[in-house]
Amino acid sequence: MARRRKIQSGPLGLIEDIDNPPLSLAGPLIEQAEEYLRVPGGVRAGDPLVLSDEQFELLWAWYSVTPDGRRFVHNRKLMVRMSKGWAKSPLGAVDAFNNLVGDVVPDGLDAYGRPVGRPHPAPWYQIAATALDQSDNLFMQLYAMLRESPAIDDLKLDVGLTRIRCWGKLGEGIVPVTSEGATREGQPITGAAKEETQLWFPSNGGVKLSNYIDDNRTKSAGGFARVLELYNAFVPGTGSVAERNEAKLGKGRGSGILHVAREATVPAEDMELMRKPKFVREQLAHAYGSAAIERGGWIDLDGVTQEIVEANDDEMPAKIRKFFNVPWADTEDGLDGKRWAELVKPGAQLAKGNVIALGFDGSDVGDATALYACRWPDWCVFKIKVWERPLDENGMPIKGVWKVPRSEVMAEVRAACRLYKVVRGYFDDSGWQSEIDELTAEFGQSVMRFPHRQDNRIGPAAERWTTMIVEKTLCHDGDDVLPRHAANARKVTIGKVGLSKWWRPARKLDSLPIDALSAAISAVHALGDAVAHGEVAETPAPATARSVPDQPGTTSNVFRPSDRLKL
């Protein structure tokens, strides 16, 4: 039998009292896993699997049960976001193996008050990913852990490349599934592991697959089916399953969910520290914990440190996500999603008579159209309305011809000009020249042409936007469209490279909308120019800004941010 081990209080902080740990089914399940599973690769391939103290602690918490021993405390999901190489996949492999052969169904307490479990008579455990090579990462690890194991004879296992079953039991066993296959709705699974959910998006079917698995979990008799979600840090604003589910936790919708994520510290105000080996290694030691070689693990922190300190600037965001385990936007992204999330103003709403500036970016066929506002004096950004191609039931844009409802857009602009005190409005006139001229004649400078194609217009507007986000002098209403559009955008420097901080938002892919970002940038700049022109009450503005001229084509007095900012 595998060695017995006294439970320890690990740095994950999931077990508070080592002398009185929570009731859990984990003890015999971990012993069985360590007895039968083998290290799948590397210099220790074929040796008996030995879980790290942190993995042991995490599994103890995951299998903890209620005082009567009849239900799991965390009866829905385990979400694990850890650094690349920390060994998240082996956790999934152990859980799948336990589901197949272990006593994983809570069955009360024995005569000594200890929790007991019973095996599932018909296990059906899905290892899910959006592509087969992702699901293979976990499934093939489990296959390698079992192919030379005495479990094949002792536990009567059928270990195949596409399915692992237990002879004498009903159920489908352990199977890999992907979003590329047939619909998964309605399958009564007994457990599942989602791999790499930072890469699950609406566009690759990941959101749909995730919803199916979560819904199918509820069909399990007795409610004992649970789901693991294993992932690395995500790119903020991309709408991945990992990001969506962490956002739900932040809104208090995490009942029955155990979430574990240990992050290093990113020196956002002094990124030069990311070039200092001593600082980087200290942070990695915290992030990797007992997975580091010097703590009995397998991660070479010195090697990872060199990967980070020698990375190019454009490579650094990915290094931060992978190794520091911190959600971090790419350098070229049109919006730093992490910083933007910190600027949300809970409960912010526009009220009749508020002083605002408007920003507009429009299209005609296929693309989106967006109308945003920025309010004085709190510089809060609001979505007025966004029109974009509707989505189908799978979360994908509908195909075929779709046109922006121009009359509806015009009505919305008119309504905003009448409901609020609009001191300025900057409207990109591409494809909307006649409508904008009509609105200008009606509302004056509340609707002004602001062609984004002109560098001397969009350049200083984008620079002001970046400066105010860095200085934390903007806030916003928490609208979810703008981050999504911003994730589709990249920054393109305009002006003299190396000297100019001007940029324009450009699409990463032609099919992806960025209009909400462009409209919001325009609204903020319009308010900045209104302040500079004395068109609002005298109140200190959050960023020094001199106006650009009212008429396009001239270039005097453009906004310059402080030279001290490292943008």
Side-chain angles (χ1 to χ4, degrees), residues 314-337:
D314 61 341
E315 297 170 333
M316 189 61 76
K319 305 296 186 186
I320 289 172
R321 290 193 296 270
K322 290 178 182 178
F323 302 121
F324 272 42
N325 194 35
V326 177
W328 201 262
D330 287 326
T331 302
E332 66 168 10
D333 280 355
L335 182 70
D336 185 330

Side-chain angles (χ1 to χ4, degrees), residues 115-251:
V116 294
R118 54 185 171 85
H120 203 293
W124 186 356
Y125 195 99
Q126 293 182 336
I127 294 175
T130 58
L132 189 58
D133 57 348
Q134 289 176 10
S135 62
D136 276 354
N137 188 42
L138 194 162
F139 183 84
M140 292 308 295
Q141 277 200 32
L142 180 57
Y143 172 83
M145 289 174 166
L146 286 171
R147 63 185 173 184
E148 301 296 335
S149 169
I152 293 177
D153 294 325
D154 293 355
L155 304 178
K156 297 180 173 55
L157 299 185
D158 177 15
V159 179
L161 291 172
T162 59
R163 185 188 307 270
I164 300 173
R165 300 185 66 175
C166 184
W167 294 110
K169 281 192 176 185
L170 301 174
E172 298 294 320
I174 303 171
V175 293
V177 298
T178 73
S179 58
E180 299 169 345
T183 177
R184 306 290 169 189
E185 188 170 16
Q187 297 175 337
I189 59 175
T190 60
K194 304 177 187 176
E195 276 259 86
E196 306 281 3
T197 57
Q198 81 277 6
L199 303 177
W200 292 30
F201 305 106
S203 58
N204 61 14
V207 172
K208 179 181 178 181
L209 178 61
S210 179
N211 290 337
Y212 279 164
I213 290 172
D214 289 346
D215 290 345
N216 291 345
R217 179 197 66 80
T218 66
K219 296 175 68 68
S220 172
F224 296 119
R226 302 186 297 165
V227 176
L228 268 70
E229 189 169 322
L230 311 170
Y231 57 104
N232 296 326
F234 49 82
V235 179
T238 55
S240 66
V241 167
E243 182 179 23
R244 288 165 181 251
N245 287 343
E246 286 203 7
K248 290 178 183 177
L249 295 176
K251 296 176 181 178

Side-chain angles (χ1 to χ4, degrees), residues 277-539:
K278 182 176 183 295
F279 171 83
V280 170
R281 199 183 192 287
E282 288 174 350
Q283 295 304 316
L284 290 174
H286 170 72
Y288 280 98
S290 61
I293 288 176
E294 56 260 41
R295 294 187 57 185
W298 50 89
I299 295 295
D300 175 13
L301 297 184
D302 292 326
V304 179
T305 296
Q306 289 305 114
E307 286 291 326
I308 295 173
V309 299
E310 296 177 3
N312 295 326
D313 287 345
D314 61 341
E315 297 170 333
M316 189 61 76
K319 305 296 186 186
I320 289 172
R321 290 193 296 270
K322 290 178 182 178
F323 302 121
F324 272 42
N325 194 35
V326 177
W328 201 262
D330 287 326
T331 302
E332 66 168 10
D333 280 355
L335 182 70
D336 185 330
K338 188 175 180 67
R339 279 180 169 162
W340 186 249
E342 294 171 353
L343 299 178
V344 67
K345 186 173 184 178
Q349 290 185 330
L350 279 174
K352 182 178 181 180
N354 280 173
V355 177
I356 65 168
L358 292 175
F360 174 85
D361 189 14
S363 66
D364 182 28
V365 178
D367 199 6
T369 291
L371 179 65
Y372 274 73
C374 186
R375 182 172 65 189
W376 177 260
D378 62 351
W379 295 80
C380 193
V381 176
F382 294 89
K383 179 186 75 174
I384 301 296
K385 192 161 185 178
V386 176
W387 297 264
E388 56 186 334
R389 182 183 291 271
L391 303 180
D392 62 21
E393 61 179 7
N394 298 323
M396 299 293 292
I398 62 171
K399 296 180 180 180
V401 178
W402 175 80
K403 282 195 170 188
V404 174
R406 298 176 83 94
S407 60
E408 183 181 324
V409 174
M410 293 284 283
E412 196 70 38
V413 174
R414 286 189 169 97
C417 289
R418 290 165 181 156
L419 185 60
Y420 313 111
K421 183 178 179 181
V422 182
V423 291
R424 275 199 183 210
Y426 283 168
F427 285 57
D428 180 33
D429 61 356
S430 179
W432 288 77
Q433 292 91 340
S434 59
E435 286 91 345
I436 292 172
D437 289 345
E438 179 184 331
L439 292 168
T440 301
E442 189 173 349
F443 296 104
Q445 69 179 31
S446 294
V447 179
M448 306 167 66
R449 286 197 187 194
F450 189 78
H452 291 172
R453 62 187 176 276
Q454 294 183 4
D455 289 352
N456 68 305
R457 308 296 283 182
I458 194 62
E463 185 183 11
R464 185 196 296 266
W465 170 265
T466 303
T467 301
M468 294 183 71
I469 290 176
V470 170
E471 293 185 337
K472 299 182 178 180
T473 47
L474 275 183
C475 59
H476 62 93
D477 62 351
D479 146 53
D480 61 353
V481 177
L482 194 153
R484 175 164 54 82
H485 281 208
N488 300 333
R490 57 188 176 88
K491 291 181 179 179
V492 175
T493 301
I494 52 182
K496 293 183 178 180
V497 176
L499 297 177
S500 175
K501 292 187 176 68
W502 287 9
W503 59 276
R504 68 167 63 252
R507 302 174 198 276
K508 294 178 179 176
L509 294 174
D510 288 342
S511 60
L512 301 177
I514 64 172
D515 306 76
L517 174 63
S518 300
I521 290 173
S522 300
V524 170
H525 198 53
L527 184 58
D529 283 355
V531 171
H533 279 259
E535 296 160 4
V536 296
E538 291 287 335
T539 303

